[in-house]
Structure formats: C-alpha cells, structure tokens
Amino acid sequence: MQVQEFYRQKSCSASDAIAHVRDGDTIIVPTGVGEPPALLTALSEQRRQFRDVKVAQILAVKKYGYFDPETTAHVRHLALFFGAASRAGGQAGQIDFLPAYFSELPALISRGWMASDVVFAMASPMDEHGYFSLSLAADYTMAAIAKARAVILEVNPHVPFAYGACHVHISQVTALTESSDAVAEVGLPKIGPVQQAIGKYVADMIEDGSTLQIGYGGIPDAVVMQLTDKKDLGIHTEMIGDGILSLIEQGVVTNRRKNFMPGKMVATFALGSRKLYQFLHRNPAIEMHPVDFTNDPYIAAQNDNLVAINATLQIDLLGQCGSESLAHLPYSGTGGQVDFVRAANRSKNGKAIIVLPSTAKEDSISRVVPVLSPGTHVTTSKNDINYVVTEYGVAQLRGKSARQRAEAMIAIAHPDFRAALREQARQLQLL
C-alpha cells in the first residue's frame, strides 16, 4: 500500500509536471521510442515560458514543437546523434551537437561533464514492489536519473516491463504522468539488390555460434535475412529490432553458445514494432542494460566470436570511416560504431565489419575515396578498421600496410572508379 500511496502523491498532468523544469536546465531524454510524447508535447506548448532549456537525446523520433527555430532561446535541442527529426536543424545550426562515443555518455553525465538536471522518460506501469522499467531505452538515462534534481516519468501500459539494470523505484521519482497512446513503431528499411549483395558477403563470414551486434539500416537487415540457415547465434548489441526478432522466431538465435551471459540477449534500447515491444515484456531471455555495460568494448569483447556489423557513408584508401557527416554537414553521429568495432577486435575470433554501397547518387559518386572529403567527421580510425564490405567484395585491412590497404579498397570499389582511384593512390604515394 505504501508504494501505491507514493504513486498517487506523485501523479499529475503532463502540463503540471513541466513545472519542475527551471530556466537553464538540461533535460535528458532516452533514445528513440523511449522519448515521452505527452511530456515533450507539454514542454513544447509551454516552451516560451522558459529560457535556455536544453533537451538532450541521442535519437529523436518525433519533431516536437520545441524544434521550432524561432524559439531556440527558450528550449533548444541538444543532439547526441542526428536522425530524421533533427538532421535539418543540425545542418542549419539551430540544434546543438555533442560528439561522444555512445558507451561513454553515462560517464560524461556521472562526472558532470554533461548536465543532467531533469529526466523525462517513458516507463512501464509500476510493479507491486514500486519499480518501473525503462525497457525501451536504458542507455544513458539510468546514469542521468542518479544525478538529476527531478525525475519525471510518463507511465504507459504499452511499455513492457523488461529485465536487466533498467529499473527505477517510485522513491526516485519526482513526478509522473499517465498516457495510453501506442508506443511509436519504426518499420524496417527498404532493401535493394546492392544491400542484398553486401548482406550475402557478410552472412558468409558469420559462423554458427557467433554473437552478433547489428546496427539499424538496410544493409544490416539484408544480413539478417540471409542468416536463416545459421545455428545457435547469440545477441549482444545496442539496439534490438524486428530483424533480430525474426531470427529468434526462426530458431536461429538461441544464445546457447554464448560464453558471456549464456542464454541471454543483451541490448540497451529497442526500436521496432509493437510485436517487438510485447516480446520484451517479462521475457527472461533478454536483458536491457545501460549503454556503459552493453557497449563497453572490454565488456562486449568477453563474448567470443563477436561479429559487429556497422555502416559508413564514406571510406578512404587507408580505411578511415566518415560514418556521420556529409563533408562538414552532420548526418547522424558516432553512436556505438567504434565501441563495437573495438569490442570485436578484442573478442576471441571476433570480426569487426564495416559495410557500405560502393557508390551514391545513382552511381555518380564513389563512396570509396582516396582521402575523405574536407570537413568529414572521422568516426572509425584506420587503426581500428578490419573488414570492409561493398557489393563487390570484402577487404580485410587489419595488419596490412598502407599499400596493401589501397589495393584491397580499390578492388571492392565500383569498377567505374577503380582506374581513377588507382591514379589518385599513386599521386598520394600509396601505390
């Protein structure tokens, strides 16, 4: 009865909950569908009442009213990663950007290098012991809750109660509001012949019993579609999506051969369909943990045979990856790519794989370039890179000289650009 009384005392409307925000505050919001729509809508409606409030989030799903470029002096978005909702504002300079490895965001918060005054988060209904589950995104939010002056939850019956280190007790909550709208769903990306070809090369590199980290996008999902004949795969990843769910349903993912947390899938956020969210509900086969656990290269590397699959936008002949910008214009962010590349490199028999189509803009531009475009944000360094896959094959770069790397990268570039790349490599004295 005590926790129920606490719940009643802390319940209020979303509009009233916003009163806990003060001028100058930084509000921490979880990844993706972990964002609380009722609270962010109420903040948007009241945004002109505030000064210099920042909303920090690694991936915004919906473009709320506070994205208004006319009111950035009142409430401004702080992107830790750009997506469709925030990209245009970031490129126009209306949205701030904080570069960081995904795994290190909790440390930035706990050490005070990144402010965490208020937390807004979606949560499951409270259990009989007074606990809520932040099942959709534990990420950096758990660290923020430990530091914040005010923790405000949006409690929704459609949010699953998941296991793992993703629970918040009613005693930690300042205020809560209830909502009942369905959790936002994110569909699978489109897959074309180029993605299928890349997926086939990658699938051939994955052995039975491997543990996978798979990012979001057409190529990762193309890989997933071609793993149906594999056996006893495991999952240790940052994002769990419908592609992984399909492998579970087909009996491909069992987690039986994992040497680290055997029998358990591990992730830090979920992004997909209602069916996926229902799968998370009180399912002992999956645990949702903060990102400084899931993405820590030392921890993730304890999985033998870890295969990390991540995409890039552009790569040079030495293997430097520009995965988050188009020249100087921000496009996404560092995210967990480097975390898992380093984890796979440390893993016994691990494989760090970077994937990309060989061209862009209907084959008019090569994504394999002699040097990265001026201003490009370097994501994964030449010293971390190992396997690179395009629709034309696989280049294995780790342990190779600059000359060998250039030869291998030219071999997987689009045939129309290979002669020019070879000449440019000579000019750079790589060949």
Side-chain angles (χ1 to χ4, degrees):
M1 291 299 295
Q2 186 178 23
V3 295
Q4 292 297 334
E5 180 58 30
F6 284 158
Y7 188 99
R8 284 190 289 271
Q9 291 174 0
K10 296 179 179 185
S11 296
C12 61
S13 67
S15 180
D16 288 342
I18 303 303
H20 292 280
V21 178
R22 302 173 184 170
D23 289 349
D25 276 352
T26 294
I27 303 171
I28 301 294
V29 174
T31 309
V33 297
E35 66 186 25
L39 289 172
L40 292 177
T41 298
L43 177 70
S44 297
E45 292 170 347
Q46 300 180 40
R47 64 187 183 276
R48 290 178 175 81
Q49 300 176 20
F50 298 102
R51 297 292 300 180
D52 193 31
V53 169
K54 291 169 282 293
V55 181
Q57 186 183 14
I58 201 167
L59 180 61
V61 172
K62 183 179 176 182
K63 195 171 184 177
Y64 292 92
Y66 73 83
F67 282 87
D68 180 359
E70 301 299 320
T71 57
T72 55
H74 300 279
V75 179
R76 187 180 183 97
H77 190 67
L78 173 60
L80 313 175
F81 189 100
F82 290 106
S86 56
R87 186 172 297 126
Q91 293 178 350
Q94 299 153 359
I95 289 175
D96 292 331
F97 176 52
L98 192 154
Y101 298 121
F102 197 4
S103 66
E104 294 186 356
L105 286 172
L108 296 185
I109 292 169
S110 64
R111 296 178 185 182
W113 293 336
M114 176 178 167
S116 172
D117 302 298
V118 180
V119 172
F120 284 0
M122 282 276 270
S124 72
M126 186 177 72
D127 72 3
E128 65 271 25
H129 305 294
Y131 286 95
F132 305 87
S133 177
L134 270 57
S135 55
L136 300 176
D139 50 42
Y140 44 83
T141 308
M142 299 302 293
I145 286 170
K147 292 282 288 187
R149 182 189 73 249
V151 175
I152 304 173
L153 300 183
E154 182 172 328
V155 180
N156 186 304
H158 301 294
V159 175
F161 192 102
Y163 298 117
C166 60
H167 300 138
V168 180
H169 192 262
I170 184 64
S171 61
Q172 298 172 273
V173 177
T174 307
L176 60 90
T177 191
E178 294 179 341
S179 64
S180 58
D181 290 344
V183 176
E185 298 183 65
V186 178
L188 293 173
K190 293 181 179 180
I191 297 173
V194 170
Q195 289 80 11
Q196 289 177 338
I198 295 171
K200 177 65 166 60
Y201 281 117
V202 175
D204 288 345
M205 298 168 66
I206 296 173
E207 301 172 354
D208 292 344
S210 297
T211 291
L212 306 184
Q213 176 264 324
I214 303 177
Y216 177 79
I219 297 174
D221 279 304
V223 173
V224 165
M225 291 173 60
Q226 298 182 63
L227 295 178
T228 55
D229 62 341
K230 305 293 181 179
K231 296 179 176 61
D232 291 328
L233 298 181
I235 300 296
H236 185 115
T237 190
E238 58 186 24
M239 185 197 89
I240 183 168
D242 284 270
I244 291 174
L245 179 59
S246 70
L247 293 180
I248 297 166
E249 293 175 333
Q250 294 173 76
V252 175
V253 168
T254 66
N255 299 287
R256 292 181 192 134
R257 289 169 61 177
K258 288 180 70 180
N259 63 300
F260 178 69
M261 299 182 69
K264 300 286 186 182
M265 282 175 287
V266 178
T268 196
F269 72 97
L271 197 65
S273 66
R274 180 181 179 185
K275 183 178 181 181
L276 173 71
Y277 308 144
Q278 291 173 336
F279 171 79
L280 297 180
H281 186 62
R282 297 195 178 277
N283 187 341
I286 183 165
E287 293 186 1
M288 304 299 287
H289 285 271
V291 72
D292 53 355
F293 178 86
T294 60
N295 286 40
D296 183 303
Y298 174 77
I299 294 173
Q302 294 180 48
N303 292 282
D304 292 348
N305 308 302
L306 178 66
V307 180
I309 307 163
N310 292 280
T312 192
L313 297 170
Q314 189 182 69
I315 188 166
D316 71 13
L317 295 180
L318 291 178
Q320 296 184 109
C321 295
S323 306
E324 56 193 274
S325 72
L326 302 171
H328 68 284
L329 290 174
Y331 187 83
S332 55
T334 304
Q337 180 174 123
V338 179
D339 295 333
F340 276 101
V341 165
R342 290 178 173 171
N345 286 340
R346 297 182 65 154
S347 165
K348 182 180 178 181
N349 299 321
K351 295 175 182 174
I353 303 172
I354 295 293
V355 296
L356 75 161
S358 65
T359 62
K361 295 187 176 180
E362 299 180 343
D363 296 339
S364 65
I365 297 174
S366 177
R367 292 179 183 263
V368 178
V369 294
V371 294
L372 296 177
S373 301
T376 296
H377 303 177
V378 178
T379 306
T380 301
S381 79
K382 65 185 186 305
N383 299 337
D384 290 311
I385 201 74
N386 193 359
Y387 295 95
V388 181
V389 182
T390 73
E391 70 271 31
Y392 292 102
V394 180
Q396 193 278 313
L397 303 185
R398 200 163 173 83
K400 300 293 178 64
S401 69
R403 181 181 299 273
Q404 290 170 321
R405 286 172 176 238
E407 290 279 14
M409 289 305 303
I410 292 169
I412 64 168
H414 192 286
D416 291 351
F417 294 95
R418 290 178 191 171
L421 285 169
R422 186 168 293 278
E423 179 57 31
Q424 291 162 327
R426 290 193 189 101
Q427 293 173 11
L428 294 169
Q429 297 184 327
L430 293 174
L431 293 179

